[in-house]
Amino acid sequence: MTKSSIILSLTVIALTALFSCEKTFTPIVSEDTALGDRAQVKYANFVVNSNRNYVFLDNRVVSGTASAFTNIYPSGASSNMLIAPGSRTFVIRDTLRTSTQVQISLPTTLEAGAFYTMFTYDSLNNAKAKIFRDWFLPTTDTTANVRFANFGYNPTGVPNVDVYSTRRQANVFSNVTFTNMTDFVAFRAATLDTLFIRQAGTTTNLVTLNGFNPLARRNYTIALRGSMRLTTGTLARGVTTILY
């Protein structure tokens, strides 16, 4: 045989062996693609002066990064923790061994396919948690849906608050009590508004939210948080806006 014939024969044999081999792929991690029955949970950390809260479920961490005061996890508007439904217990704690923050335990029942927002609040030595089911309103026009939550901190008591819209020249939320949240109301989208959070029944402004400009067909929670006794600094009373 000529040299070229030998090379050609060896090439044919190699290609035949290559294509006749059965190829297998063994994943190094297990993948769960059946997610339609999961509950979806977003976490807002309003424990004043907290630094590194993680969320645990059945002794397993379910939050990928630590959450400090005012952090939202997951931060993406359409991102949530996916949790199997049923009777579950969340544990929220600071993983630093020397932390003085008390561990929070929150038993709850989650429904398949439902959405929830979980808040932690108060102070390091008295940290608490509360969870709400999110009843998002279907929106097909150019409005946005907005609600308000009262999670301010004051050891002597947090006042009920009103939320006043300068564009509407009226209260959009009234007499919201501590640790409670309103239903959604429609807001005109792509229209700048200034919101005053006031002690209920007064014109005393506690916090001002300038330039609120919601997007059409999106859902928002505006939450009062921080120390009601402070007007300046990172721990002072303020608002956090959560986009869904």
Side-chain angles (χ1 to χ4, degrees):
M1 298 177 67
T2 64
K3 183 177 181 180
S4 59
S5 298
I6 295 173
I7 294 174
L8 178 60
S9 298
L10 292 175
T11 302
V12 171
I13 293 171
L15 290 174
T16 302
L18 176 64
F19 287 107
S20 63
C21 291
E22 181 181 357
K23 299 176 181 61
T24 60
F25 172 73
T26 303
I28 60 175
V29 295
S30 59
E31 183 178 5
D32 185 358
T33 58
L35 303 178
D37 67 338
R38 296 295 193 265
Q40 300 197 39
V41 181
K42 192 175 288 292
Y43 167 49
N45 180 18
F46 298 144
V47 176
V48 174
N49 212 26
S50 56
N51 290 308
R52 58 191 69 78
N53 280 350
Y54 284 89
V55 180
F56 292 80
L57 195 69
D58 300 333
N59 296 317
R60 296 178 59 185
V61 64
V62 292
S63 58
T65 58
S67 295
F69 173 57
T70 74
N71 285 174
I72 309 299
Y73 182 85
S75 59
S78 58
S79 301
N80 298 284
M81 293 179 283
L82 300 178
I83 308 294
S87 297
R88 316 304 301 271
T89 297
F90 288 102
V91 171
I92 302 96
R93 61 183 176 89
D94 188 321
T95 56
L96 186 66
R97 183 174 299 178
T98 57
S99 172
T100 60
Q101 179 180 313
V102 299
Q103 177 174 290
I104 306 167
S105 180
L106 180 64
T108 191
T109 300
L110 303 177
E111 295 187 23
F115 291 78
Y116 298 86
T117 301
M118 178 170 61
F119 299 90
T120 52
Y121 61 97
D122 211 297
S123 57
L124 292 178
N125 61 359
N126 199 37
K128 302 181 182 70
K130 192 169 183 178
I131 192 167
F132 295 84
R133 180 165 178 177
D134 298 323
W135 297 97
F136 296 127
L137 300 176
T139 304
T140 57
D141 57 15
T142 59
T143 61
N145 295 315
V146 182
R147 63 185 176 181
F148 179 81
N150 183 353
F151 281 96
Y153 165 68
N154 192 332
T156 62
V158 176
N160 298 358
V161 296
D162 299 332
V163 180
Y164 180 86
S165 163
T166 58
R167 185 177 60 80
R168 298 188 187 189
Q169 295 291 295
N171 286 340
V172 286
F173 306 106
S174 298
N175 204 34
V176 185
T177 57
F178 177 53
T179 75
N180 282 306
M181 184 160 58
T182 70
D183 294 330
F184 284 104
V185 299
F187 264 65
R188 183 184 299 173
T191 302
L192 288 173
D193 198 355
T194 297
L195 302 178
F196 295 127
I197 291 85
R198 296 171 167 174
Q199 188 166 339
T202 75
T203 57
T204 302
N205 295 333
L206 301 173
V207 179
T208 300
L209 175 58
N210 292 305
F212 182 57
N213 188 20
L215 300 173
R217 296 182 294 279
R218 300 307 297 264
N219 297 284
Y220 296 81
T221 297
I222 299 171
L224 175 66
R225 45 70 177 168
S227 175
M228 303 301 293
R229 298 174 296 178
L230 301 176
T231 57
T232 59
T234 58
L235 305 182
R237 62 185 185 236
V239 292
T240 294
T241 301
I242 308 170
L243 172 62
Y244 302 84

